[in-house]
């Protein structure tokens, strides 16, 4: 009985590494292009943020987000015993989403949109549950009341920003350069 160890030549290892790297880069770039397409072509949808304990609102350089709509989706998903799917939403005149029903394949009525959801543990994820920002900008985003999403026709969504109670995008104050500031 002959047992020979499997050794790859240096050239073969380089080729395998190169192909693996290329495949990973193609996959990552395909996801980026898909997200960019959603941001460019998707419908603007505003999701009301659920109240969050202000002591845990800021953690480092991001804000944990919880959407009010997730509670209604969680109840419907639990009753239907589903963990992943799409929810049908209707937008009011300000583009704020309202829960209609879980999508079960029925054609969408005029003015209705799909939004994908996933149930993980006890939480329903509708879109990103974190909003990242530059260090020191947390105070500006503490007044956020809505998450602004761009949503594709298949319900996939990208979080594009936060809005205040007047539905205005939260803009950052200009960064002051200490070298140019005179006191």
């Amino acid at each position: 009985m002959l047992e020979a160890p499997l050794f790859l030549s240096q050239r073969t290892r380089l080729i395998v590494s190169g192909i693996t790297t290329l495949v990973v880069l193609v996959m990552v770039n395909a996801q980026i292009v898909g997200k960019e397409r959603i941001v460019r072509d998707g419908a603007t949808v505003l999701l009301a943020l659920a109240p969050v304990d202000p002591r845990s609102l800021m953690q480092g350089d991001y804000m944990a987000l919880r959407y009010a709509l997730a509670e209604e989706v969680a109840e419907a998903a639990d009753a239907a015993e589903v963990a992943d799917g799409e929810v049908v939403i209707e937008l009011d005149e300000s583009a704020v989403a309202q829960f209609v029903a879980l999508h079960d394949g029925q054609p969408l009525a005029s003015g209705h949109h799909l939004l994908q959801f996933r149930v993980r543990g006890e939480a329903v994820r509708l879109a990103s549950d974190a909003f990242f920002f530059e260090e020191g900008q947390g105070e500006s985003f503490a007044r956020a009341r809505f998450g602004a999403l761009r949503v594709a026709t298949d319900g996939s969504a990208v979080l594009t920003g936060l809005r205040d109670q007047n539905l205005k995008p939260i803009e950052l104050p200009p960064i002051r350069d200490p070298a140019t500031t005179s006191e």
Side-chain angles (χ1 to χ4, degrees):
M1 190 158 51
L2 282 174
E3 288 188 36
L6 178 61
F7 290 104
L8 298 177
S9 71
Q10 176 86 11
R11 183 172 192 261
T12 304
R13 283 194 302 258
L14 284 173
I15 290 171
V16 169
S17 294
I19 290 172
T20 302
T21 302
L22 184 63
V23 168
V24 169
L25 288 173
V26 167
M27 289 174 41
V28 167
N29 282 302
Q31 289 181 337
I32 290 169
V33 168
K35 297 293 185 186
E36 287 176 345
R37 187 174 297 124
I38 294 169
V39 170
R40 183 185 67 234
D41 301 332
T44 298
V45 173
L46 302 179
L47 294 182
L49 297 175
V52 178
D53 182 353
R55 289 170 289 155
S56 65
L57 185 63
M58 300 299 167
Q59 297 176 4
D61 299 325
Y62 76 97
M63 176 188 302
L65 301 177
R66 198 166 56 95
Y67 302 103
L69 187 72
E71 294 175 28
E72 291 177 272
V73 174
E75 289 175 15
D78 188 44
E81 298 180 356
V82 296
D84 294 336
E86 295 89 24
V87 61
V88 178
I89 56 173
E90 183 173 36
L91 305 182
D92 68 13
E93 65 280 351
S94 299
V96 176
Q98 307 297 321
F99 175 80
V100 174
L102 293 182
H103 187 246
D104 60 5
Q106 76 272 27
L108 295 178
S110 177
H112 287 184
H113 299 271
L114 293 178
L115 180 61
Q116 292 178 358
F117 74 90
R118 295 186 315 262
V119 178
R120 297 296 180 261
E122 298 296 315
V124 169
R125 292 196 54 184
L126 298 171
S128 176
D129 59 359
F131 184 77
F132 295 87
F133 46 82
E134 290 183 37
E135 185 175 344
Q137 300 296 329
E139 196 173 304
S140 297
F141 290 104
R143 57 190 164 87
R145 297 297 173 264
F146 295 89
L149 310 174
R150 297 290 285 192
V151 180
T153 56
D154 69 353
S156 55
V158 175
L159 178 67
T160 58
L162 298 177
R163 307 261 178 114
D164 65 15
Q165 74 267 7
N166 298 318
L167 307 177
K168 301 282 187 229
I170 297 176
E171 297 186 16
L172 294 174
I175 298 175
R176 294 173 30 192
D177 183 359
T180 62
T181 305
S182 61
E183 306 245 355

